[in-house]
Amino acid sequence: MSGALGGVARVFSLFNVVAAGLLATSVLALQAVQRPPVAPTPPKLELTERTSLKVKVYFTDSKVQLLKPETRTVLVTKSNARAVAQAALNVWADGPYDRNLLAVVPAKTAPPKVYLRGQHFFVDLPAAYTNLRYGTSGERMLLCTVTRTLLEDRGEDVTFLVGGENVESLGHLDLREPYTRRDCADQ
């Protein structure tokens, strides 16, 4: 009888029990890995109503001396100040409809990003704007058309960033202080 118990004890030795547990775990893991993934549920399509708003967008005259407004219609999903401002600058970057006016940036140039904190606009100009090679008057037109467009209905001032960073200048013009309506009133 002790021989039979000894054989059973050898079958249930620590090594055999651990090996059987590892074998069972690996079989379960293999089955889990080979199981096809659960298909994700598609997001619900939410149609948001777009509201059309009229905004005044500023461009320059053919002599690059005066700011000239053009009333444009923009579509926004939210009519908050930031969304309207971003839509206005998207239209600004596309250029004017009136052939007597000039766009301030070349066609297909990315529009700046607009942020709003209280009554203060922050405009992040793409880094490509530093390569436009404008003179002082061209840079002033660029900054003033944006400033006047944004401050037409609301806001106190516009702080310009370039590529997400505070910079001292955009070529010739100082960007350390925010631009206000008064900075661009003489145009």
Side-chain angles (χ1 to χ4, degrees), residues 59-68 96 98-104 141:
F59 299 101
T60 183
D61 67 342
S62 60
K63 296 178 183 175
V64 191
Q65 293 178 350
L66 299 172
L67 296 174
K68 296 289 186 176
D98 185 345
R99 294 185 187 267
N100 296 322
L101 302 178
L102 295 177
V104 184
M141 277 298 167

Side-chain angles (χ1 to χ4, degrees), residues 15-31:
F15 177 78
N16 287 345
V17 171
V18 171
L22 288 174
L23 180 63
T25 303
S26 65
V27 168
L28 290 174
L30 181 63
Q31 288 176 349

